[in-house]
Amino acid sequence: MNAATSTGRITTHVLDTATGKPAAGLKIEFYRLNGSARELIKSVATNADGRCDDPLLSGDAMTAGVFELVFHVGDYLNRDDEVSFLDQVPVRFGIADPAAHYHVPLLVSPFGYSTYRGS
């Protein structure tokens, strides 16, 4: 294993800004993109802290390229069988340095969201 790539990883977490709490149990799909092709790498759900138990990608599996997280916020927000304003929130981002840590959090409420590259 190359020591330079073994530290690289992709992580995420989701915070519900309407309740001020972590978004527990929110489904996330993680894809690698190659042109118009989309390869599902992993499907996970957030834990009680709104995080994934393990990195979405790490070590030698980390490569430069384009990736996409699809957050299923509609299923999470739809607690009363009402139609949610938001459904699936895709976040597409690029990895230039496979040895770096890329943290991609999502802040979500019933009517909006934001994301950024965290630490």
Side-chain angles (χ1 to χ4, degrees), residues 71-118:
F71 298 90
H72 290 257
V73 300
D75 293 340
Y76 167 80
L77 294 170
N78 191 2
R79 298 182 186 120
D80 299 321
D81 292 328
E82 296 178 11
V83 174
S84 297
F85 175 70
L86 294 173
D87 187 21
Q88 295 180 10
V89 174
V91 177
R92 190 170 288 185
F93 59 97
I95 299 293
D97 179 5
H101 178 195
Y102 290 82
H103 184 65
V104 186
L106 184 75
L107 306 176
V108 67
S109 74
F111 299 102
Y113 65 91
S114 65
T115 189
Y116 54 95
R117 180 175 177 193

Side-chain angles (χ1 to χ4, degrees), residues 28-51:
I28 303 168
E29 293 173 327
F30 180 54
Y31 295 90
R32 180 185 317 266
L33 282 71
N34 186 7
S36 62
R38 237 171 117 198
E39 171 195 357
L40 178 65
I41 296 173
K42 186 180 284 193
S43 181
V44 297
T46 56
N47 61 23
D49 195 33
R51 299 177 183 275

